[in-house]
Amino acid sequence: MNRNGIAFFFKRNAAAYLFLLPWLIGFVVLTLYPMIYSLYLGFTDYDFTKPDSTQLIGFGNYTKMFGSIFGIQDFTVATGEVMRVDPYYLKSLSVTFTYVFVSVPIKLAFALLIAMLLSQKLRFIPFYRAVYYIPTLLGGSVAIAVLWRKLFEKDGLLNGLLGGLGFTDLPGWITNPKYALSTLILLTVWQFGSSMIIFLAGLKQIPSEYYEASSIDGAGKVKQFIAITIPSLTPVILFNLIMQMISAFQVFTQAYIIGGGKGGVLNSTLFYTLYLYIQGWTYHEMGYASAMAWVLLLIIGIFTAIIFKSSKYWVSYGSGE
């Protein structure tokens, strides 16, 4: 028997594959097959209420998304059907990009600040860590989204408190397109607990000798933060940045509840995933929604690759790299 043959390989590893079989079945059935099928649907006009009428339309769904960039208003697909360019797609991209690029840096900066405070040798630190982590456990829930909406409504608690302090002509923060997105950014910043815990772990790994030596050399707290803390935390910052960016691109529950399921006033909170949901489940354009999902996957992949590529210039692993 050829010891290098495929049969020998599988025979030798039969026990391992037997234990992996449940996971492999789940991966193929619940992940791989749906992904491949959704990729196919992205090139069709699939409507799940009329599956028998599904037709291939080539890149029609993608032209519908990005046609306005090239001045296209309507176009003809392979089936001869005339389709109109989506007037709200680029708005959903703009809202999502604004949310990601504003909320993620603020959230990470705030998480690092709190982590540094909680890394001090003070009383009741374990209690404070637990309290600050609670918003992360609750923040993605429907109940918190409803509560947030009530806080920032025209007659909500925030305006009640500000009115008691003498402020007048207060807006409805949720219903005003100038402030609606800011309230959602504030909500995600409030959920800083997971990043905080990871920063805490990173801070604990920095040798105290670094700070002691720098103190002897006359370095103050600010200098130590810039020269020691930040460079030592760059691998942790990289991890938190990627995880929070991916999470921000996929935000849905808060936008759905706070925006009333329609993207808010003047589509000010029309997040990408919310618009994808509306197209797929409200308008039954599941083929178009599938194409949108793959574009989102591509966007996340590109930004992740850019961050990884740039990390060699700013991430230090303490090995002289």
Side-chain angles (χ1 to χ4, degrees):
M1 179 179 178
N2 183 6
R3 294 181 62 85
N4 295 321
I6 296 177
F8 176 77
F9 174 81
F10 281 106
K11 182 178 180 180
R12 181 180 180 183
N13 298 282
Y17 283 109
L18 184 62
F19 283 108
L20 284 172
L21 189 59
W23 179 87
L24 289 173
I25 293 174
F27 173 74
V28 171
V29 174
L30 301 177
T31 302
L32 185 61
Y33 171 73
M35 286 183 65
I36 295 174
Y37 189 56
S38 71
L39 180 62
Y40 160 74
L41 291 181
F43 296 97
T44 71
D45 59 356
Y46 177 65
D47 180 340
F48 64 84
T49 63
K50 298 179 290 184
D52 295 335
S53 64
T54 302
Q55 300 182 77
L56 283 170
I57 59 173
F59 289 94
N61 287 324
Y62 297 95
T63 304
K64 183 178 179 179
M65 281 185 255
F66 299 106
S68 60
I69 297 176
F70 306 100
I72 301 173
Q73 292 184 345
D74 50 51
F75 57 96
T76 304
V77 296
T79 61
E81 177 188 359
V82 176
M83 296 181 66
R84 293 190 62 83
V85 169
D86 188 344
Y88 301 110
Y89 178 78
L90 294 181
K91 175 64 175 180
S92 72
L93 271 181
S94 173
V95 170
T96 304
F97 281 143
T98 302
Y99 174 81
V100 172
F101 295 147
V102 174
S103 68
V104 172
I106 296 176
K107 184 177 184 178
L108 293 184
F110 193 67
L112 178 57
L113 173 63
I114 301 300
M116 293 188 66
L117 292 175
L118 296 183
S119 65
Q120 306 300 314
K121 296 180 179 179
L122 302 174
R123 297 181 61 186
F124 307 116
I125 284 297
F127 170 75
Y128 291 130
R129 290 174 183 170
V131 168
Y132 282 121
Y133 188 71
I134 288 175
T136 298
L137 300 177
L138 302 176
S141 66
V142 173
I144 292 298
V146 172
L147 175 62
W148 210 258
R149 182 181 177 89
K150 294 297 182 183
L151 284 174
F152 290 95
E153 285 181 338
K154 178 71 174 179
D155 56 350
L157 178 61
L158 177 62
N159 280 355
L161 293 174
L162 293 176
L165 295 174
F167 291 92
T168 58
D169 297 325
L170 296 169
W173 305 95
I174 292 294
T175 56
N176 190 317
K178 291 176 58 179
Y179 307 111
L181 184 58
S182 298
T183 62
L184 286 170
I185 291 174
L186 183 61
L187 174 57
T188 195
V189 171
W190 179 63
Q191 303 168 45
F192 62 88
S194 59
S195 299
M196 177 198 71
I197 293 296
I198 296 171
F199 277 133
L200 269 172
L203 288 169
K204 293 296 183 183
Q205 300 301 313
I206 302 176
S208 59
E209 291 82 2
Y210 291 175
Y211 295 102
E212 294 171 0
S214 64
S215 296
I216 294 173
D217 291 337
K221 295 295 183 182
V222 175
K223 180 66 175 180
Q224 289 177 342
F225 177 76
I226 296 174
I228 299 175
T229 305
I230 291 298
S232 300
L233 283 181
T234 48
V236 179
I237 294 173
L238 173 65
F239 176 80
N240 271 336
L241 176 60
I242 291 175
M243 297 304 295
Q244 293 303 321
M245 180 201 67
I246 293 174
S247 176
F249 269 115
Q250 300 179 79
V251 67
F252 172 78
T253 304
Q254 301 93 318
Y256 181 83
I257 299 298
I258 294 176
K262 298 180 180 179
V265 179
L266 298 180
N267 297 314
S268 56
T269 56
L270 186 64
F271 284 84
Y272 194 99
T273 52
L274 174 60
Y275 192 47
L276 188 156
Y277 171 86
I278 291 172
Q279 291 293 330
W281 295 102
T282 302
Y283 300 146
H284 301 169
E285 296 189 19
M286 195 59 72
Y288 184 52
S290 297
M292 289 180 63
W294 276 92
V295 171
L296 178 61
L297 176 65
L298 183 61
I299 291 172
I300 294 175
I302 289 173
F303 278 104
T304 302
I306 291 173
I307 293 173
F308 270 117
K309 189 69 175 178
S310 66
S311 66
K312 64 181 180 181
Y313 299 108
W314 59 274
V315 177
S316 172
Y317 294 98
S319 58
E321 298 180 5

